Amino acid sequence: GNRIGEIGGAVIKDRKIMANDGILVVIVNVDMKKRELLIKPNITTRGFILVNENEELIRKIENKAEQTIQNALKNPKSTFATLKSDITETLYPFINSLTGRKPIILPIILDIKRNKK
């Protein structure tokens, strides 16, 4: 209708995935300078599962994400891009094996600088 520009095939594909399997967001707080994970990853979803009714599944996903991030941070060459890639590449088959679903996985990484007191 009123929209300006074409909607590409990738956008349509993502919309179909979100409609069928939802989206899973992994929010990660790290200190990249110290190479440390500051708190357990926060998992939130839309259209995938109800978090309140699937706490055990969310806990398993959080633990898998935490393990992946800890391993990635041990590599001194690890960057935001590789961290995001590692999270997605690890969680995608893990979630699929647990649920049979393939949500879009969106890692959000926040670099928090902690001052020593």
Side-chain angles (χ1 to χ4, degrees), residues 8-67:
V11 172
I12 298 294
K13 181 181 172 207
D14 282 350
R15 288 182 180 179
K16 285 180 181 176
I17 292 169
M18 284 189 286
N20 293 326
D21 293 324
I23 186 167
L24 182 128
V25 181
V26 182
I27 303 168
V28 180
N29 293 319
V30 294
D31 184 334
M32 288 300 280
K33 191 172 185 179
K34 294 180 183 175
R35 319 280 312 156
E36 84 179 296
L37 178 64
L38 301 176
I39 59 171
K40 195 173 194 87
N42 186 335
I43 306 292
T44 188
T45 70
R46 292 292 178 266
F48 173 56
I49 57 170
L50 287 175
V51 175
N52 299 356
E53 296 176 8
N54 295 281
E55 290 179 24
E56 186 179 335
L57 174 61
I58 293 296
R59 216 172 2 265
K60 286 180 183 179
I61 295 169
E62 283 175 348
N63 291 338
K64 187 68 166 181
E66 181 177 15
Q67 182 183 23

Side-chain angles (χ1 to χ4, degrees), residues 50-105:
L50 287 175
V51 175
N52 299 356
E53 296 176 8
N54 295 281
E55 290 179 24
E56 186 179 335
L57 174 61
I58 293 296
R59 216 172 2 265
K60 286 180 183 179
I61 295 169
E62 283 175 348
N63 291 338
K64 187 68 166 181
E66 181 177 15
Q67 182 183 23
T68 302
I69 295 159
Q70 296 284 16
N71 288 339
L73 289 174
K74 289 177 187 173
N75 180 352
K77 294 182 181 180
S78 186
T79 64
F80 279 137
T82 57
L83 199 53
K84 284 183 176 188
S85 170
D86 287 350
I87 291 168
T88 304
E89 289 173 9
T90 302
L91 289 184
Y92 191 78
F94 181 72
I95 292 168
N96 188 20
S97 71
L98 291 175
T99 65
R101 299 180 74 189
K102 301 175 182 178
I104 290 177
I105 298 172

